[in-house]
Amino acid sequence: MTTNVAYEDAEIGAELAEIAVRAAALILPLWRTGLEVTAKEDKSPVTEADRRGEALILEELARRFPGAPVISEEHASEFGTPDAIGPRFFLVDPLDGTKAFVRGDPHFTVNIALIDEGRAVAGAVAAPASGEVWRTSRSGVLKRHGDGPEASARCRPWPTGEALALVSHTMKTEVAEALMRKHGYHRSERMDSSIKFCRIAEGAADIYPRLGPTMEWDTAAGDAVLTCPFLYGKAEMGFRNGFFVARGSP
C-alpha cells in the first residue's frame, strides 16, 4: 500500500470479513430474482448483484484503507488490468460463481484478499446463501455461521478410501476421471466458486484440481484461507493463473 496502515496483516482478515459480510447481505436479496444477465468481453456473465457488491466493497476498502491499490473483477473487466502493480494491494471478486448465482445454486461467494510481495497474507470469503464466512487471523483460519461465534477451521488428514475432490461444473467427465487416477482421490463433487478452498480448509473435502483458467481475484481470498503456493501480482500475464491443485494435506 502507498500509505501506512495501522493494522497487522494477521488481523486485517477481520476487517475484510466485515466488508464481505456486508456485501453478502446486499447480494443475497437479489438471488433467484431473475436479474438481467449480460455478457462481458470474455463471455462470462455479470449481473447487477456483481456491480452492487463491488461498489460497496470498493467504498469500504477506500474508507478503511485510504490510498490502497485495489484490483477488482468488474472494474478490470471494463477498464482492463494495470500494466504494473506495487507489492501490496487488494484483490476483490464481489460475486465469485456468477454462473451458480444465475442458476439459483448456492455456491457463490464474496472474495477479498490482501496481497503482499506476491502472497495472499489476509483474506475473507463469505457465502451469502449459507451465511458462512471464513477469514484469516493470527491464530489461523476462523469460521462463523450467521451470527454465531467464530471457531477454528482446520484441514483433515487425507482419509484413506474416502478422499473427496471438489471440481468445476465445466470439467469434462473423462478429465475428472484422469485426475482421480493421478491424484488418488476416491469421489468428487461439482461445485462453483472459491467455497471449494474453504471446504478443504475446514476439513469437509480434501482436494481441488483446476485445469481451466482462473484470475487472481478468483483464488486470492480462498488461497489466504487454505494457504496455497500461488503467486500474485502477475501484471505481465493480465493477472491470470495457471493450472493448480489445492489440497488440505500431503
Side-chain angles (χ1 to χ4, degrees):
M1 298 177 195
T2 57
T3 59
N4 293 325
V5 177
Y7 300 88
E8 294 185 24
D9 287 348
E11 296 309 318
I12 288 179
E15 295 276 304
L16 303 186
E18 289 180 7
I19 300 171
V21 167
R22 286 195 60 195
L26 182 67
I27 289 168
L28 185 59
L30 302 176
W31 183 42
R32 295 178 173 172
T33 61
L35 283 180
E36 179 184 2
V37 182
T38 57
K40 295 184 283 191
E41 287 190 11
D42 63 0
K43 308 303 181 185
S44 61
V46 62
T47 71
E48 185 63 22
D50 299 77
R51 299 186 184 97
R52 291 187 191 180
E54 180 169 280
L56 183 150
I57 293 168
L58 295 181
E59 180 180 346
E60 282 293 308
L61 288 176
R63 182 177 67 83
R64 297 174 189 236
F65 307 100
V70 181
I71 299 176
S72 188
E73 180 181 19
E74 305 314 329
H75 184 275
S77 296
E78 184 174 356
F79 300 104
T81 56
D83 295 330
I85 191 70
R88 284 173 70 85
F89 61 98
F90 288 102
L91 281 167
V92 171
D93 191 340
L95 205 174
D96 185 28
T98 301
K99 291 180 181 178
F101 178 88
V102 170
R103 288 196 307 268
D105 291 351
H107 298 133
F108 55 94
T109 56
V110 177
N111 302 339
I112 313 174
L114 171 64
I115 307 302
D116 184 34
E117 299 290 350
R119 294 176 52 248
V121 296
V125 177
S130 64
E132 296 166 288
V133 59
W134 300 260
R135 72 168 179 95
T136 54
S137 77
R138 185 180 300 155
S139 61
V141 177
L142 299 177
K143 178 186 177 181
R144 186 175 79 246
H145 198 153
D147 295 327
E150 290 187 316
S152 295
R154 292 185 176 85
C155 300
R156 67 186 181 189
W158 190 265
T160 303
E162 290 293 330
L164 172 63
L166 303 178
V167 301
S168 169
H169 272 99
T170 59
M171 183 176 287
K172 295 180 179 179
T173 300
E174 60 270 24
V175 173
E177 291 174 350
L179 287 171
M180 182 179 293
R181 292 191 295 270
K182 179 178 181 180
H183 296 289
Y185 55 86
H186 308 90
R187 53 199 177 97
S188 63
E189 181 179 344
R190 295 185 182 271
M191 189 175 293
D192 292 278
S193 86
S194 64
I195 202 169
K196 295 189 284 293
F197 292 101
C198 300
R199 294 294 181 227
I200 296 171
E202 69 182 14
D206 305 288
I207 188 170
Y208 165 27
R210 178 77 186 204
L211 292 179
T214 59
M215 303 300 291
E216 292 187 8
W217 48 75
D218 294 318
T219 60
D223 174 5
V225 168
L226 183 57
T227 312
C228 305
F230 284 90
L231 179 66
Y232 294 95
K234 303 184 293 294
E236 72 285 356
M237 298 173 61
F239 296 85
R240 291 180 177 83
N241 297 316
F243 165 75
F244 65 83
V245 176
R247 59 188 297 161
S249 64

